[in-house]
């Protein structure tokens, strides 16, 4: 019988491999936690945006209503003939 040329792994090599593997697992866990946190934040932003959109949609007049839309909720300014010469900031 011929002897095998490969040697059994050294315990130090195994420990080093386990240490590197543990570090990689730790980095992956940190990345997953970060992604979960970002996901939760984005869900919150989406919910807020949906609420704002629903609020705007609820303020839209019916199609038969010919009034001007005031979606920003700012008070309507009164038109004054003297103000016609003032520049606008649109």
């Amino acid at each position: 019988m011929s002897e095998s040329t490969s040697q059994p792994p050294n315990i130090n090599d195994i420990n080093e491999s386990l240490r590197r593997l543990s570090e990689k697992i730790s980095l992956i866990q940190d990345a997953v936690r970060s992604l979960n946190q970002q996901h939760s934040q984005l869900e919150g932003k989406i919910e807020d945006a949906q609420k704002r959109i629903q609020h705007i949609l609820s303020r839209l007049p019916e199609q038969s209503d010919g009034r001007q839309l005031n979606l920003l909720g700012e008070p309507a300014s009164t038109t004054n003939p003297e103000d016609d010469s003032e520049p606008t900031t649109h």
Side-chain angles (χ1 to χ4, degrees):
M1 291 189 158
S2 65
E3 292 185 46
S4 172
T5 58
S6 66
Q7 297 177 349
N10 183 342
I11 190 73
N12 290 332
D13 293 340
I14 294 173
N15 284 336
E16 180 63 21
S17 293
L18 288 173
R19 184 191 64 75
R20 286 193 314 265
L21 187 59
S22 293
E23 287 176 359
K24 289 180 181 181
I25 290 172
S26 179
L27 289 172
I28 291 170
Q29 288 173 331
D30 291 344
V32 168
R33 274 191 288 273
S34 176
L35 287 173
N36 283 336
Q37 183 180 15
Q38 291 173 7
H39 182 77
S40 294
Q41 290 173 345
L42 289 174
E43 281 182 338
K45 288 181 180 183
I46 288 170
E47 287 176 13
D48 289 345
Q50 287 173 335
K51 287 177 186 176
R52 287 193 307 271
I53 290 169
Q54 189 59 44
H55 177 72
I56 289 171
L57 291 175
S58 70
R59 297 182 64 192
L60 288 174
E62 295 181 20
Q63 274 187 323
S64 62
D65 192 344
R67 294 179 293 168
Q68 181 178 355
L69 300 179
N70 184 7
L71 299 178
L72 299 177
E74 297 171 349
S77 61
T78 57
T79 56
N80 189 348
E82 297 171 358
D83 292 339
D84 287 342
S85 62
E86 294 293 320
T88 59
T89 57
H90 290 276

